[in-house]
Amino acid sequence: MSILDLVLGRTLLNREYRRRQIGAFEGVPAMGLDGIGSSSYGPEAALAILIPLGAAGTSYIGWIMAPIVALLLILFASYWQTIRAYPNNGGAYIVAKSNLGTRMSLLAAAALMIDYVLNVAVGISAGVGALVSAVPALHPHMISLCLGILLLITLVNLRGTPDAGRIFALPAYLYIGSFFLVLAIGIGKALASGGHPAPIVAPPKLPPATEAVSLWLLLRAFASGCTAMTGVEAVSNGMSAFRDPPVLYGHRTLSVIVAVLGLLLAAIAYLVHVFGIGAMDQSQPEYRSVLSQLAGAVVGEGVLYYVAIGSLLCVLTLSATTSFIDFPRLCRLVAEDGFLPRPFATAGRRLVFSVGIIYLAVMAGLLLFAFEGITDRLIPLFAIGAFLTFTISQMGMVVHWRRGIRQARTARERAGQRAHFLINAVGATTTGVALVIIVIAKFGEGAWITMLVIPCVIALLLTVHSYYDRLTKEVEVGAIDLDDTRPPILLVTVQRWDRLASKALRLAITLSPDVIGIHLTHLAGPEAKSHTEDLQEQWHRDVETPAATAGVPLPRLIILPAARRAIHEPILKLVEELEERFGKRRIVVLVPEIVKRHWYQYVLHSHHAWRLRQQLLLHGGSRVTIMNIPWHVD
């Protein structure tokens, strides 16, 4: 077993694809960690904006979380319909392409791609934030921890979706169970004490207020808190990962994700108020996350605390899995339409789109490094891509249902289509309004970067598509051209007279009567003359004489000086001379090459054949054909 097989697993056959599909049990950890994990950094991001209000800030968190939970329920209803209407893939890109046209679909694709990269960076940085909250000694190593976790998640996802779903199931369900228990205990204590529970571990004292509450401050807090809804669209984007019937498993997965996220957001908002918990600066060594403070206040720093925080760490860092599953699938769709390089649409050894996974990991790693793994610095860039995607998807579904209303044959069918239309219209309106608020509130804090990058990504997609269009037009052909069916002129590169040259020459003689052996020499003066005479004598004895005896046309030998050691230049000059002499006749260059099976062979050989082949491909033009003649040493 190779190291690659050990790390990534054996190479899968194409027919095994259906066995690699998942159900709701694997679907929740595979596609829901992003949404469920955002219950940690969403409320914390809102509380960070409310810091200037001091202790009074916690009394407003409920008013901020309430519309977010309401918006979450609207999105649930909207995506429930989208999954039913597009059971194979109901992502924003497909919905927009089907109903709004190419330009809007590219806008959705660009927004999604940016959102997925940010989700990976934010999830991992928030997870490491939870870790350093419990183990402050690790604070100086945040970047190293972020990049190490990113590498681990990348390797797991290269193994495939089912493996990722099963491996991450334990921490996902442990997080849900442990924090539901912590929150239930906290709510019980709050109700029993009349809303004034005594914390076991007192949270840090909130700073004094530095400004009064304002609508602008609350809108900014709402915009930050909306990051709690990122990931809700993941199920509709990844419908192709579910086994049959996909709608059933998609609905079940979406229901669990939204129910868990909604309950967590509501309970956290209530408890941070009654316990007086606020956000802290993650760049400071004494930083403790909101959920760490909350768990300590409710149950103390015992076994349950460390189980809950440990599972939170796992869920937040592994929440990047959602992006690692959906981003490559999105890239595959975009690549199949010609807007991304074609390798993005090619399945790898584990029937996952490995190029998309590796690209996502590299981009997220650069982002983590640039922002030093600090969640608060990444949050302003976040949510715009998600809400832009929400809005475009809902707009596409509105057009879809309008078409359905026009095509309905009965009053009952028309009424059903109208009900669907109304749900998605409400979804498009509310997410659109939220998007405007987020853009305005976060523009100066870094959202302008996302707004600038989105059109750049669209321009890149259009550039790739333009290249493929030009390529398609250039290689288009009608009936085969049979005007000139003469055999080609064959040039055989001869480094020395040996078995490699003999094998290439034997093949050349069977293909054409016009065969020319080409030897390139770097020598000069008497040494070159002696070398040339020796090779010509050997050629006459071992090639021309046997050819004459066999009655086949005699292969010629041409010795070309390569004074500047650029081995392709003399051959290209000879090709030009032959084209002038023979007109349209094809020219084929045969390049003998030793097949390298072992690493040390790459060190021991000079790679002349490889360099010659590359230069001929670049500079030889479409008239020249290059053929490899392999020689297996072993």
Side-chain angles (χ1 to χ4, degrees), residues 582-620:
F582 292 100
K584 293 184 177 181
R585 199 161 168 196
R586 303 289 305 177
I587 298 173
V588 180
V589 181
L590 277 67
V591 183
E593 181 176 11
I594 292 176
V595 177
K596 303 168 186 66
R597 295 177 179 270
H598 307 290
W599 65 268
Y600 57 81
Q601 291 175 313
Y602 289 91
V603 178
L604 297 175
H605 291 275
S606 58
H607 309 289
H608 283 307
W610 179 84
R611 290 204 300 273
L612 174 61
R613 186 171 65 251
Q614 292 300 110
Q615 293 299 324
L616 291 177
L617 285 171
L618 287 172
H619 306 293

mmCIF file of all heavy atoms in Angstrom, residues 582-620:
data_model
loop_
_atom_site.group_PDB
_atom_site.id
_atom_site.type_symbol
_atom_site.label_atom_id
_atom_site.label_comp_id
_atom_site.label_asym_id
_atom_site.label_seq_id
_atom_site.Cartn_x
_atom_site.Cartn_y
_atom_site.Cartn_z
ATOM 1 N N PHE A 582 8.989 21.024 -49.559
ATOM 2 C CA PHE A 582 7.932 20.034 -49.791
ATOM 3 C C PHE A 582 6.515 20.599 -49.663
ATOM 4 O O PHE A 582 5.540 19.845 -49.785
ATOM 5 C CB PHE A 582 8.088 18.866 -48.804
ATOM 6 C CG PHE A 582 9.323 18.042 -49.073
ATOM 7 C CD1 PHE A 582 10.476 18.229 -48.327
ATOM 8 C CD2 PHE A 582 9.324 17.080 -50.079
ATOM 9 C CE1 PHE A 582 11.605 17.467 -48.570
ATOM 10 C CE2 PHE A 582 10.454 16.313 -50.315
ATOM 11 C CZ PHE A 582 11.618 16.512 -49.569
ATOM 12 N N GLY A 583 6.360 21.876 -49.366
ATOM 13 C CA GLY A 583 5.027 22.476 -49.318
ATOM 14 C C GLY A 583 4.186 21.964 -48.158
ATOM 15 O O GLY A 583 4.593 22.018 -47.006
ATOM 16 N N LYS A 584 2.991 21.419 -48.469
ATOM 17 C CA LYS A 584 2.012 21.026 -47.451
ATOM 18 C C LYS A 584 2.303 19.683 -46.785
ATOM 19 O O LYS A 584 1.551 19.247 -45.936
ATOM 20 C CB LYS A 584 0.607 20.961 -48.061
ATOM 21 C CG LYS A 584 0.063 22.317 -48.482
ATOM 22 C CD LYS A 584 -1.364 22.170 -48.991
ATOM 23 C CE LYS A 584 -1.962 23.527 -49.361
ATOM 24 N NZ LYS A 584 -3.357 23.390 -49.839
ATOM 25 N N ARG A 585 3.334 19.040 -47.166
ATOM 26 C CA ARG A 585 3.604 17.703 -46.642
ATOM 27 C C ARG A 585 3.881 17.749 -45.136
ATOM 28 O O ARG A 585 4.576 18.644 -44.644
ATOM 29 C CB ARG A 585 4.807 17.103 -47.351
ATOM 30 C CG ARG A 585 4.864 15.588 -47.215
ATOM 31 C CD ARG A 585 5.749 14.998 -48.263
ATOM 32 N NE ARG A 585 6.036 13.616 -47.984
ATOM 33 C CZ ARG A 585 7.018 12.945 -48.548
ATOM 34 N NH1 ARG A 585 7.809 13.559 -49.418
ATOM 35 N NH2 ARG A 585 7.215 11.679 -48.251
ATOM 36 N N ARG A 586 3.306 16.795 -44.410
ATOM 37 C CA ARG A 586 3.438 16.780 -42.954
ATOM 38 C C ARG A 586 4.859 16.427 -42.542
ATOM 39 O O ARG A 586 5.564 15.693 -43.225
ATOM 40 C CB ARG A 586 2.485 15.748 -42.330
ATOM 41 C CG ARG A 586 1.032 15.936 -42.658
ATOM 42 C CD ARG A 586 0.430 17.120 -41.991
ATOM 43 N NE ARG A 586 0.604 17.113 -40.558
ATOM 44 C CZ ARG A 586 0.198 18.095 -39.754
ATOM 45 N NH1 ARG A 586 -0.392 19.153 -40.269
ATOM 46 N NH2 ARG A 586 0.382 18.031 -38.463
ATOM 47 N N ILE A 587 5.256 16.978 -41.387
ATOM 48 C CA ILE A 587 6.570 16.674 -40.814
ATOM 49 C C ILE A 587 6.352 16.110 -39.412
ATOM 50 O O ILE A 587 5.660 16.718 -38.596
ATOM 51 C CB ILE A 587 7.456 17.933 -40.750
ATOM 52 C CG1 ILE A 587 7.707 18.455 -42.172
ATOM 53 C CG2 ILE A 587 8.773 17.639 -40.033
ATOM 54 C CD1 ILE A 587 8.425 19.777 -42.219
ATOM 55 N N VAL A 588 6.928 14.935 -39.157
ATOM 56 C CA VAL A 588 6.791 14.276 -37.857
ATOM 57 C C VAL A 588 8.176 14.105 -37.247
ATOM 58 O O VAL A 588 9.092 13.611 -37.921
ATOM 59 C CB VAL A 588 6.101 12.897 -37.987
ATOM 60 C CG1 VAL A 588 5.984 12.234 -36.621
ATOM 61 C CG2 VAL A 588 4.728 13.050 -38.625
ATOM 62 N N VAL A 589 8.325 14.540 -35.998
ATOM 63 C CA VAL A 589 9.596 14.391 -35.282
ATOM 64 C C VAL A 589 9.443 13.275 -34.258
ATOM 65 O O VAL A 589 8.563 13.341 -33.386
ATOM 66 C CB VAL A 589 9.993 15.706 -34.572
ATOM 67 C CG1 VAL A 589 11.333 15.529 -33.850
ATOM 68 C CG2 VAL A 589 10.065 16.855 -35.569
ATOM 69 N N LEU A 590 10.269 12.225 -34.386
ATOM 70 C CA LEU A 590 10.249 11.109 -33.446
ATOM 71 C C LEU A 590 11.328 11.340 -32.390
ATOM 72 O O LEU A 590 12.500 11.547 -32.729
ATOM 73 C CB LEU A 590 10.505 9.776 -34.154
ATOM 74 C CG LEU A 590 9.291 9.107 -34.817
ATOM 75 C CD1 LEU A 590 8.783 9.925 -35.992
ATOM 76 C CD2 LEU A 590 9.625 7.689 -35.271
ATOM 77 N N VAL A 591 10.933 11.323 -31.132
ATOM 78 C CA VAL A 591 11.857 11.615 -30.031
ATOM 79 C C VAL A 591 11.984 10.375 -29.145
ATOM 80 O O VAL A 591 11.070 10.075 -28.373
ATOM 81 C CB VAL A 591 11.375 12.823 -29.195
ATOM 82 C CG1 VAL A 591 12.391 13.155 -28.100
ATOM 83 C CG2 VAL A 591 11.124 14.025 -30.086
ATOM 84 N N PRO A 592 13.070 9.606 -29.235
ATOM 85 C CA PRO A 592 13.265 8.470 -28.320
ATOM 86 C C PRO A 592 13.489 8.980 -26.892
ATOM 87 O O PRO A 592 14.159 9.990 -26.680
ATOM 88 C CB PRO A 592 14.520 7.778 -28.864
ATOM 89 C CG PRO A 592 14.731 8.355 -30.233
ATOM 90 C CD PRO A 592 14.166 9.731 -30.202
ATOM 91 N N GLU A 593 12.943 8.248 -25.925
ATOM 92 C CA GLU A 593 13.068 8.693 -24.534
ATOM 93 C C GLU A 593 13.032 7.492 -23.605
ATOM 94 O O GLU A 593 12.234 6.570 -23.783
ATOM 95 C CB GLU A 593 11.935 9.655 -24.176
ATOM 96 C CG GLU A 593 12.007 10.193 -22.754
ATOM 97 C CD GLU A 593 10.919 11.206 -22.467
ATOM 98 O OE1 GLU A 593 9.996 11.336 -23.297
ATOM 99 O OE2 GLU A 593 10.976 11.856 -21.406
ATOM 100 N N ILE A 594 13.918 7.503 -22.608
ATOM 101 C CA ILE A 594 13.917 6.459 -21.578
ATOM 102 C C ILE A 594 12.767 6.712 -20.611
ATOM 103 O O ILE A 594 12.590 7.830 -20.119
ATOM 104 C CB ILE A 594 15.259 6.441 -20.826
ATOM 105 C CG1 ILE A 594 16.377 5.958 -21.772
ATOM 106 C CG2 ILE A 594 15.189 5.556 -19.590
ATOM 107 C CD1 ILE A 594 17.748 5.997 -21.152
ATOM 108 N N VAL A 595 11.982 5.675 -20.340
ATOM 109 C CA VAL A 595 10.882 5.775 -19.379
ATOM 110 C C VAL A 595 11.451 5.677 -17.968
ATOM 111 O O VAL A 595 12.149 4.715 -17.646
ATOM 112 C CB VAL A 595 9.832 4.671 -19.617
ATOM 113 C CG1 VAL A 595 8.735 4.751 -18.566
ATOM 114 C CG2 VAL A 595 9.251 4.792 -21.021
ATOM 115 N N LYS A 596 11.169 6.683 -17.159
ATOM 116 C CA LYS A 596 11.738 6.739 -15.798
ATOM 117 C C LYS A 596 10.712 6.209 -14.814
ATOM 118 O O LYS A 596 9.674 6.817 -14.592
ATOM 119 C CB LYS A 596 12.142 8.176 -15.471
ATOM 120 C CG LYS A 596 13.142 8.745 -16.490
ATOM 121 C CD LYS A 596 13.313 10.237 -16.327
ATOM 122 C CE LYS A 596 14.190 10.801 -17.440
ATOM 123 N NZ LYS A 596 13.559 10.705 -18.777
ATOM 124 N N ARG A 597 11.037 5.084 -14.206
ATOM 125 C CA ARG A 597 10.129 4.438 -13.257
ATOM 126 C C ARG A 597 10.466 4.775 -11.804
ATOM 127 O O ARG A 597 9.614 4.660 -10.935
ATOM 128 C CB ARG A 597 10.174 2.919 -13.433
ATOM 129 C CG ARG A 597 9.651 2.422 -14.771
ATOM 130 C CD ARG A 597 9.824 0.912 -14.863
ATOM 131 N NE ARG A 597 9.315 0.385 -16.116
ATOM 132 C CZ ARG A 597 8.075 -0.030 -16.302
ATOM 133 N NH1 ARG A 597 7.209 0.041 -15.311
ATOM 134 N NH2 ARG A 597 7.685 -0.505 -17.465
ATOM 135 N N HIS A 598 11.702 5.144 -11.529
ATOM 136 C CA HIS A 598 12.154 5.339 -10.155
ATOM 137 C C HIS A 598 12.655 6.763 -9.972
ATOM 138 O O HIS A 598 13.123 7.416 -10.920
ATOM 139 C CB HIS A 598 13.265 4.351 -9.810
ATOM 140 C CG HIS A 598 12.896 2.920 -10.095
ATOM 141 N ND1 HIS A 598 11.959 2.225 -9.357
ATOM 142 C CD2 HIS A 598 13.313 2.072 -11.072
ATOM 143 C CE1 HIS A 598 11.830 1.005 -9.846
ATOM 144 N NE2 HIS A 598 12.645 0.885 -10.885
ATOM 145 N N TRP A 599 12.606 7.256 -8.739
ATOM 146 C CA TRP A 599 12.980 8.637 -8.467
ATOM 147 C C TRP A 599 14.424 8.939 -8.855
ATOM 148 O O TRP A 599 14.732 10.023 -9.359
ATOM 149 C CB TRP A 599 12.758 8.958 -6.984
ATOM 150 C CG TRP A 599 13.654 8.183 -6.045
ATOM 151 C CD1 TRP A 599 13.382 6.993 -5.454
ATOM 152 C CD2 TRP A 599 14.978 8.557 -5.641
ATOM 153 N NE1 TRP A 599 14.451 6.584 -4.688
ATOM 154 C CE2 TRP A 599 15.453 7.545 -4.776
ATOM 155 C CE3 TRP A 599 15.799 9.650 -5.897
ATOM 156 C CZ2 TRP A 599 16.701 7.575 -4.192
ATOM 157 C CZ3 TRP A 599 17.062 9.695 -5.312
ATOM 158 C CH2 TRP A 599 17.503 8.664 -4.473
ATOM 159 N N TYR A 600 15.331 7.963 -8.635
ATOM 160 C CA TYR A 600 16.741 8.233 -8.895
ATOM 161 C C TYR A 600 17.018 8.392 -10.380
ATOM 162 O O TYR A 600 18.008 9.029 -10.778
ATOM 163 C CB TYR A 600 17.624 7.145 -8.297
ATOM 164 C CG TYR A 600 17.324 5.741 -8.786
ATOM 165 C CD1 TYR A 600 17.819 5.285 -9.996
ATOM 166 C CD2 TYR A 600 16.551 4.876 -8.017
ATOM 167 C CE1 TYR A 600 17.549 4.006 -10.447
ATOM 168 C CE2 TYR A 600 16.267 3.592 -8.457
ATOM 169 C CZ TYR A 600 16.771 3.157 -9.667
ATOM 170 O OH TYR A 600 16.494 1.899 -10.101
ATOM 171 N N GLN A 601 16.141 7.838 -11.231
ATOM 172 C CA GLN A 601 16.356 7.985 -12.666
ATOM 173 C C GLN A 601 16.163 9.431 -13.115
ATOM 174 O O GLN A 601 16.776 9.879 -14.088
ATOM 175 C CB GLN A 601 15.413 7.053 -13.429
ATOM 176 C CG GLN A 601 15.766 5.577 -13.245
ATOM 177 C CD GLN A 601 14.753 4.669 -13.912
ATOM 178 O OE1 GLN A 601 13.551 4.852 -13.760
ATOM 179 N NE2 GLN A 601 15.237 3.688 -14.648
ATOM 180 N N TYR A 602 15.293 10.163 -12.409
ATOM 181 C CA TYR A 602 15.110 11.573 -12.741
ATOM 182 C C TYR A 602 16.363 12.379 -12.430
ATOM 183 O O TYR A 602 16.627 13.410 -13.044
ATOM 184 C CB TYR A 602 13.918 12.142 -11.969
ATOM 185 C CG TYR A 602 12.588 11.622 -12.453
ATOM 186 C CD1 TYR A 602 12.026 10.481 -11.888
ATOM 187 C CD2 TYR A 602 11.912 12.255 -13.479
ATOM 188 C CE1 TYR A 602 10.820 9.984 -12.326
ATOM 189 C CE2 TYR A 602 10.691 11.769 -13.939
ATOM 190 C CZ TYR A 602 10.152 10.628 -13.361
ATOM 191 O OH TYR A 602 8.955 10.141 -13.816
ATOM 192 N N VAL A 603 17.156 11.907 -11.458
ATOM 193 C CA VAL A 603 18.389 12.597 -11.093
ATOM 194 C C VAL A 603 19.514 12.238 -12.054
ATOM 195 O O VAL A 603 20.348 13.082 -12.406
ATOM 196 C CB VAL A 603 18.788 12.233 -9.643
ATOM 197 C CG1 VAL A 603 20.100 12.895 -9.256
ATOM 198 C CG2 VAL A 603 17.682 12.622 -8.679
ATOM 199 N N LEU A 604 19.522 10.991 -12.523
ATOM 200 C CA LEU A 604 20.651 10.484 -13.301
ATOM 201 C C LEU A 604 20.581 10.830 -14.779
ATOM 202 O O LEU A 604 21.576 10.669 -15.493
ATOM 203 C CB LEU A 604 20.741 8.960 -13.136
ATOM 204 C CG LEU A 604 21.016 8.462 -11.708
ATOM 205 C CD1 LEU A 604 20.952 6.944 -11.661
ATOM 206 C CD2 LEU A 604 22.369 8.968 -11.228
ATOM 207 N N HIS A 605 19.432 11.293 -15.277
ATOM 208 C CA HIS A 605 19.298 11.596 -16.701
ATOM 209 C C HIS A 605 19.203 13.097 -16.936
ATOM 210 O O HIS A 605 18.791 13.862 -16.044
ATOM 211 C CB HIS A 605 18.071 10.895 -17.276
ATOM 212 C CG HIS A 605 18.213 9.393 -17.333
ATOM 213 N ND1 HIS A 605 18.826 8.741 -18.360
ATOM 214 C CD2 HIS A 605 17.833 8.431 -16.449
ATOM 215 C CE1 HIS A 605 18.813 7.433 -18.128
ATOM 216 N NE2 HIS A 605 18.223 7.221 -16.968
ATOM 217 N N SER A 606 19.563 13.519 -18.136
ATOM 218 C CA SER A 606 19.659 14.948 -18.448
ATOM 219 C C SER A 606 18.351 15.542 -18.972
ATOM 220 O O SER A 606 18.258 16.749 -19.140
ATOM 221 C CB SER A 606 20.760 15.179 -19.485
ATOM 222 O OG SER A 606 20.494 14.432 -20.662
ATOM 223 N N HIS A 607 17.371 14.723 -19.318
ATOM 224 C CA HIS A 607 16.043 15.182 -19.760
ATOM 225 C C HIS A 607 16.086 15.970 -21.075
ATOM 226 O O HIS A 607 15.276 16.870 -21.297
ATOM 227 C CB HIS A 607 15.364 16.021 -18.675
ATOM 228 C CG HIS A 607 15.334 15.363 -17.324
ATOM 229 N ND1 HIS A 607 14.533 14.273 -17.051
ATOM 230 C CD2 HIS A 607 16.032 15.620 -16.187
ATOM 231 C CE1 HIS A 607 14.730 13.894 -15.794
ATOM 232 N NE2 HIS A 607 15.635 14.689 -15.253
ATOM 233 N N HIS A 608 17.052 15.619 -21.955
ATOM 234 C CA HIS A 608 17.103 16.286 -23.260
ATOM 235 C C HIS A 608 15.817 16.058 -24.049
ATOM 236 O O HIS A 608 15.311 16.978 -24.704
ATOM 237 C CB HIS A 608 18.301 15.750 -24.068
ATOM 238 C CG HIS A 608 19.603 16.310 -23.624
ATOM 239 N ND1 HIS A 608 19.852 17.668 -23.520
ATOM 240 C CD2 HIS A 608 20.773 15.699 -23.243
ATOM 241 C CE1 HIS A 608 21.088 17.867 -23.100
ATOM 242 N NE2 HIS A 608 21.668 16.690 -22.919
ATOM 243 N N ALA A 609 15.317 14.835 -24.012
ATOM 244 C CA ALA A 609 14.116 14.509 -24.797
ATOM 245 C C ALA A 609 12.916 15.336 -24.340
ATOM 246 O O ALA A 609 12.150 15.855 -25.165
ATOM 247 C CB ALA A 609 13.805 13.015 -24.682
ATOM 248 N N TRP A 610 12.752 15.452 -23.028
ATOM 249 C CA TRP A 610 11.624 16.229 -22.510
ATOM 250 C C TRP A 610 11.732 17.700 -22.928
ATOM 251 O O TRP A 610 10.758 18.306 -23.376
ATOM 252 C CB TRP A 610 11.582 16.112 -20.988
ATOM 253 C CG TRP A 610 10.457 16.893 -20.373
ATOM 254 C CD1 TRP A 610 9.165 16.497 -20.223
ATOM 255 C CD2 TRP A 610 10.538 18.225 -19.828
ATOM 256 N NE1 TRP A 610 8.420 17.498 -19.619
ATOM 257 C CE2 TRP A 610 9.235 18.568 -19.373
ATOM 258 C CE3 TRP A 610 11.567 19.153 -19.693
ATOM 259 C CZ2 TRP A 610 8.955 19.793 -18.796
ATOM 260 C CZ3 TRP A 610 11.281 20.379 -19.121
ATOM 261 C CH2 TRP A 610 9.995 20.693 -18.668
ATOM 262 N N ARG A 611 12.939 18.286 -22.800
ATOM 263 C CA ARG A 611 13.117 19.688 -23.162
ATOM 264 C C ARG A 611 12.885 19.908 -24.651
ATOM 265 O O ARG A 611 12.262 20.893 -25.050
ATOM 266 C CB ARG A 611 14.522 20.162 -22.759
ATOM 267 C CG ARG A 611 14.706 20.275 -21.255
ATOM 268 C CD ARG A 611 15.825 21.254 -20.931
ATOM 269 N NE ARG A 611 17.091 20.832 -21.519
ATOM 270 C CZ ARG A 611 17.945 19.999 -20.931
ATOM 271 N NH1 ARG A 611 17.662 19.485 -19.748
ATOM 272 N NH2 ARG A 611 19.071 19.661 -21.514
ATOM 273 N N LEU A 612 13.389 18.988 -25.468
ATOM 274 C CA LEU A 612 13.195 19.099 -26.917
ATOM 275 C C LEU A 612 11.709 19.033 -27.264
ATOM 276 O O LEU A 612 11.198 19.833 -28.065
ATOM 277 C CB LEU A 612 13.966 17.988 -27.630
ATOM 278 C CG LEU A 612 13.749 17.897 -29.151
ATOM 279 C CD1 LEU A 612 14.187 19.190 -29.829
ATOM 280 C CD2 LEU A 612 14.501 16.700 -29.726
ATOM 281 N N ARG A 613 11.012 18.085 -26.656
ATOM 282 C CA ARG A 613 9.578 17.934 -26.944
ATOM 283 C C ARG A 613 8.801 19.195 -26.551
ATOM 284 O O ARG A 613 7.937 19.661 -27.301
ATOM 285 C CB ARG A 613 9.049 16.709 -26.190
ATOM 286 C CG ARG A 613 7.606 16.357 -26.529
ATOM 287 C CD ARG A 613 7.215 15.025 -25.926
ATOM 288 N NE ARG A 613 7.209 15.055 -24.473
ATOM 289 C CZ ARG A 613 8.107 14.439 -23.710
ATOM 290 N NH1 ARG A 613 9.090 13.756 -24.267
ATOM 291 N NH2 ARG A 613 8.029 14.512 -22.391
ATOM 292 N N GLN A 614 9.108 19.767 -25.376
ATOM 293 C CA GLN A 614 8.408 20.962 -24.927
ATOM 294 C C GLN A 614 8.658 22.141 -25.866
ATOM 295 O O GLN A 614 7.739 22.881 -26.206
ATOM 296 C CB GLN A 614 8.864 21.327 -23.506
ATOM 297 C CG GLN A 614 8.422 20.335 -22.441
ATOM 298 C CD GLN A 614 6.916 20.200 -22.372
ATOM 299 O OE1 GLN A 614 6.367 19.166 -22.749
ATOM 300 N NE2 GLN A 614 6.248 21.239 -21.918
ATOM 301 N N GLN A 615 9.905 22.314 -26.314
ATOM 302 C CA GLN A 615 10.220 23.434 -27.199
ATOM 303 C C GLN A 615 9.587 23.262 -28.572
ATOM 304 O O GLN A 615 9.121 24.235 -29.178
ATOM 305 C CB GLN A 615 11.748 23.574 -27.333
ATOM 306 C CG GLN A 615 12.449 23.987 -26.051
ATOM 307 C CD GLN A 615 11.980 25.333 -25.544
ATOM 308 O OE1 GLN A 615 11.697 26.234 -26.322
ATOM 309 N NE2 GLN A 615 11.872 25.474 -24.233
ATOM 310 N N LEU A 616 9.552 22.038 -29.064
ATOM 311 C CA LEU A 616 8.904 21.792 -30.357
ATOM 312 C C LEU A 616 7.406 22.024 -30.273
ATOM 313 O O LEU A 616 6.786 22.539 -31.214
ATOM 314 C CB LEU A 616 9.199 20.368 -30.834
ATOM 315 C CG LEU A 616 10.640 20.080 -31.246
ATOM 316 C CD1 LEU A 616 10.799 18.610 -31.621
ATOM 317 C CD2 LEU A 616 11.055 20.960 -32.427
ATOM 318 N N LEU A 617 6.789 21.639 -29.147
ATOM 319 C CA LEU A 617 5.365 21.892 -28.971
ATOM 320 C C LEU A 617 5.066 23.391 -28.948
ATOM 321 O O LEU A 617 4.066 23.852 -29.504
ATOM 322 C CB LEU A 617 4.872 21.254 -27.668
ATOM 323 C CG LEU A 617 4.694 19.735 -27.668
ATOM 324 C CD1 LEU A 617 4.422 19.232 -26.253
ATOM 325 C CD2 LEU A 617 3.549 19.323 -28.591
ATOM 326 N N LEU A 618 5.952 24.168 -28.307
ATOM 327 C CA LEU A 618 5.726 25.606 -28.190
ATOM 328 C C LEU A 618 6.008 26.351 -29.486
ATOM 329 O O LEU A 618 5.281 27.288 -29.849
ATOM 330 C CB LEU A 618 6.607 26.173 -27.070
ATOM 331 C CG LEU A 618 6.194 25.846 -25.635
ATOM 332 C CD1 LEU A 618 7.273 26.323 -24.662
ATOM 333 C CD2 LEU A 618 4.864 26.501 -25.295
ATOM 334 N N HIS A 619 7.060 25.945 -30.200
ATOM 335 C CA HIS A 619 7.532 26.751 -31.336
ATOM 336 C C HIS A 619 7.400 26.068 -32.688
ATOM 337 O O HIS A 619 7.655 26.703 -33.708
ATOM 338 C CB HIS A 619 9.011 27.115 -31.114
ATOM 339 C CG HIS A 619 9.274 27.790 -29.806
ATOM 340 N ND1 HIS A 619 8.801 29.041 -29.508
ATOM 341 C CD2 HIS A 619 9.962 27.370 -28.705
ATOM 342 C CE1 HIS A 619 9.181 29.385 -28.282
ATOM 343 N NE2 HIS A 619 9.889 28.377 -27.768
ATOM 344 N N GLY A 620 7.000 24.791 -32.716
ATOM 345 C CA GLY A 620 6.980 24.069 -33.983
ATOM 346 C C GLY A 620 5.800 24.384 -34.876
ATOM 347 O O GLY A 620 5.826 24.094 -36.075
#
